[in-house]
Amino acid sequence: MLLWFVIVYWLISVAIGLFAATRVHNTKDFAVAGRHLPFYMVTATVFATWFGSETVLGIPATFLNEGLHGVVADPFGSSMCLILVGLFFAAPLYRMNLLTIGDFYKKRYGRGVEVLTTLAIVVSYLGWVGAQISALGLVFNVVSGGEISKLAGMWIGSLTILVYTLYGGMWAVAVTDFLQMIIIVIGMLWIGGEVSGMAGGVGVVVDHAMNNGKLSFLPPADPKEVIAFIAAAVTMMLGSIPQQDVFQRVQSAKSEKIAVWGSVLGGGLYFVFAFVPMFLAYSATLIDPDMVARLIKSDSQMILPELVLTKAPLVAQILFFGALLSAIKSCASATLLAPSVTFTENILRPALPHLTDRKLLFWMRVVTFIFTLLVTFYAMYSKASIFKMVENAYQITLVSAFVPLVCGLYWRRATNQGALLAIFLGISVWLAVHLAGGDDPYVPAQLAGLIASAVGMVLGSLVKQFVHHDIHVHDRLRRGHHAADSHGVAHEGIGAIHRH
């Protein structure tokens, strides 16, 4: 019965996504929903995109093992990322009226920086999308009672999500995200009430967690522990900011104000609801301690699904797995679309300069198809946990793309050679620490890379021969203007071209 409900829900959501595809007529519709999304849809797509498999399966498993300080990266860092984007990045980026985050690097620093940051952003999505695909395989395996293997579940999930993402782009993602946010909220609250009753109430669960040290947020007063804590926090808090999926939600809004506050509210809602799966998983330690003890040694990600399947009534099971599938689908569709759009726009289009908008839309869909196949194979062979796959995904953008973005927006003296040196030093130091430091370096690789990137930007930008040119570019971008020939024929009608 549970499997049939899951199948029906899955088919309905795919149909809704395909219906939304009827609104896609050009690359602007496909990439940023024509910049027509109202406040409630921007908020929903921000929330639903981030409320993924790691939130329902990965974060609770990590919380049970390490306590609250073990999840500083997510939800603390990730929700702060969305709030920071809303407060400091949404408005200036929205005014630039660009199609991808890679376009910003091109306008501000030139072609070389555009290519390097775009490649880093695309590669970073392997881990995030791979985590969603892995979770889909797990869910289909669980709800089918083992009849559908994890491998088959991965392919079923990825290919069906591909169908509506391929045709509907950002419109399909936004519409399905709105539906899925409703299901996530209802499902999480319902199952929370059910599980709370089994465990003896919210107060009992919270007191038990507190008495066992699970609610201690700050790390021990040891320098190495503190540095590791900071590194984990900034990985997703800052490394997630220069990402195409975040940028798309900003650019899809109907107005600058909606872009700002949709991101802030979406981040706030994500932070609040991310604690529900943690509460559910910890409740399992009171409801069925033997099951928790068994699974925490083998696969702690299975604790929450196992609890729901064995202890909850059918209605609660349907709502839980509906919410879980909604979380995974919304996250997976967004993260399939984002790297495909940015690769096509910033790598492929310059190599094929005479593409019409129609042809560019075709290539965006081709790249989406190819990227889906790649991440499914990656998920099949990855041995990392869902939480680690997501956390590791942002290290490369943290050390390569974050500093050039911040300085490009807020430091007039930032230059293209500063950005190139920031990327080179950030990635070089990150790789060197990984290779030399083993699994537990004193300063984590991503933090060392971030510091090196900042040093590179400052040192590189002290070279004076290009300073005046780059200040001029910075001022024009901040006002929302950019060169007429930057998008060429393919982006006429996007509204991004202002001739000077």
Side-chain angles (χ1 to χ4, degrees), residues 194-200 205 280 282-292 307 310-311:
E194 292 282 342
V195 170
S196 174
M198 291 184 235
V205 177
L280 297 176
Y282 196 80
S283 298
T285 63
L286 302 179
I287 298 169
D288 194 345
D290 293 336
M291 179 268 288
V292 173
L307 173 70
T310 56
K311 302 295 183 180

Side-chain angles (χ1 to χ4, degrees), residues 239-399:
S240 308
I241 290 175
Q243 288 283 5
Q244 176 64 15
D245 62 284
V246 178
F247 178 85
Q248 278 178 301
R249 275 130 197 84
V250 168
Q251 292 296 316
S252 298
K254 288 175 67 174
S255 69
E256 182 181 314
K257 187 176 181 181
I258 289 174
V260 171
W261 295 110
S263 182
V264 171
L265 180 58
L269 288 173
Y270 173 74
F271 180 75
V272 171
F273 278 92
F275 281 90
V276 178
M278 282 191 275
F279 169 80
L280 297 176
Y282 196 80
S283 298
T285 63
L286 302 179
I287 298 169
D288 194 345
D290 293 336
M291 179 268 288
V292 173
R294 171 173 53 84
L295 288 177
I296 209 162
K297 295 177 181 178
S298 55
D299 188 359
S300 53
Q301 295 172 159
M302 280 295 298
I303 290 174
L304 199 45
E306 185 83 8
L307 173 70
V308 173
L309 280 175
T310 56
K311 302 295 183 180
L314 180 61
V315 173
Q317 292 179 27
I318 293 168
L319 286 170
F320 172 78
F321 284 103
L324 176 55
L325 284 172
S326 293
I328 298 170
K329 286 172 80 277
S330 59
C331 192
S333 59
T335 49
L336 284 175
L337 179 66
S340 305
V341 167
T342 195
F343 181 85
T344 308
E345 162 67 11
N346 299 109
I347 302 295
L348 189 59
R349 190 184 70 81
L352 302 170
H354 302 298
L355 285 178
T356 63
D357 190 80
R358 189 178 184 86
K359 285 288 186 182
L360 186 64
L361 178 59
F362 167 78
W363 280 108
M364 282 183 178
R365 286 169 167 158
V366 169
V367 173
T368 304
F369 176 78
I370 294 171
F371 190 76
T372 302
L373 297 181
L374 287 176
V375 295
T376 305
F377 282 115
Y378 173 83
M380 286 168 54
Y381 295 106
S382 176
K383 302 299 182 184
S385 69
I386 290 172
F387 186 85
K388 281 298 178 185
M389 287 172 76
V390 171
E391 185 180 8
N392 293 340
Y394 299 109
Q395 292 191 17
I396 188 169
T397 47
L398 176 68
V399 303

